[in-house]
Amino acid sequence: MIPFNMPLIVGNETKYINEALLSKKLSGDGPFTKKCNNWFETNFYTPKALLTTSCTHALEMAAILAGIKEGDEVIMPSYTFVSTANAFVLRGAKVVFIDIRPDTMNIDESLIEDAITSKTKAIVPVHYAGVSCEMDKILSIAKKYNLVVIEDAAQGVMSKYKGKSLGTIGNLGSYSFHETKNYNCGEGGALLINDNQYIERAEIIREKGTNRSRFFRGQVDKYTWIDVGSSYLPSEINAAFLYAQLESADKINTARIMTWNLYYKLLSHLEKEGFLELPVIPLDCEQNAHMFYIKLKNLEIRSQLIEFLKKYDIITSFHYVPLHTSDAGKKFGVFHGEDKYTTAESERLLRLPLYYGLSSEDVEVISDHIVHFFK
Ligand SMILES: *Cc1c(COP(=O)(O)O)cnc(C)c1O
């Protein structure tokens, strides 16, 4: 059987977890958490990275930091994971969904300005498949209307836009280390704070609303409750696991891109013959091969191909049900403008197996079966 995903285990995870156990420091913000935070700060050039318990929680922190409150509006694509919206709904915001671009499946930057009202507070670009949104345009709109930009870069670790790491371009950015992502620790995430004004408060919110971080640095002599917050820091065991993967990030990234390129090469004649469409990577983007997807003519052909591949024990997957069509999406959000592409494109998209360790032979087998399906 070829599974759809295999959680990455690269080798040094157990060694580092043992080190954490021997150090007798298991709660958050010990040596391994600091190593991970430093790794993002030095490799991705951002003033502050903080490991969190998930990307969902990093987005919740971002919503608090951005000062989102009852009645505010937040603009995002409808084609995304529920956490992108939930983080803001929890603060009482109304979510304003707009359409995606059919080429990258990312928010259509040309539609953002029309959705802005006096209540708009933030824009949340989601870098689908680790391919960047059109960030220059989004940042210039945000500047014009004084909005906060929060990148959902859950899938974008190691990807770049015009040479800048995804997650470090907006005011705030978020990563996921869920087992389905390129680098993982089972469950985990990070908040990237690219705007210095948010750093101190981010540390407080992450530590249950206390000034514990400042206390440990000797900057205050009492540790006390000073703001809202929650428990957003992961244990050292998770950080030790993740650090082993970050140390091998280049090797993992290169291997994933080779797999992606092989799919692209083996399926490109089907695109020329009009059977399917392949992903588009704009020139300004360096992607991380988070996923390889194809787009079929319609939902029916997609369903047939899923069943066909399943007969050969090849597991494929698709997502998302557009949020504006879900029960909660209707309650907490509104779709601004016309749903020209979100629903239609989501029904055509099919994700093929892609994980570190997937062999070239397996990619060839999968591609051959797809060719046979059409011929
Ligand atoms: C995976 C994912 C999340 C959630 O990440 P968790 O770490 O599981 O909370 C959020 N947004 C997007 C786009 C994702 O792909």
Side-chain angles (χ1 to χ4, degrees), residues 54-56 59 80-81 83-84 126 152 154-155 176-178 181 187-188 320:
S54 64
C55 181
T56 302
L59 289 164
T80 184
F81 188 60
S83 296
T84 320
V126 179
D152 182 339
Q155 304 173 9
S176 173
F177 308 116
H178 184 262
K181 302 303 198 300
E187 301 272 0
Y320 305 99

Side-chain angles (χ1 to χ4, degrees), residues 252-264:
I252 295 158
N253 197 45
T254 305
R256 293 189 75 107
I257 286 171
M258 278 176 61
T259 305
W260 196 99
N261 287 341
L262 184 57
Y263 269 130
Y264 198 95

Side-chain angles (χ1 to χ4, degrees), residues 162-183:
K162 298 190 176 174
K164 283 191 187 158
S165 295
L166 300 194
T168 70
I169 302 165
N171 304 81
L172 298 158
S174 59
Y175 290 154
S176 173
F177 308 116
H178 184 262
E179 70 163 44
T180 52
K181 302 303 198 300
N182 291 23
Y183 310 92

Side-chain angles (χ1 to χ4, degrees), residues 151-164:
E151 295 176 75
D152 182 339
Q155 304 173 9
V157 182
M158 294 290 277
S159 292
K160 287 179 178 168
Y161 170 77
K162 298 190 176 174
K164 283 191 187 158

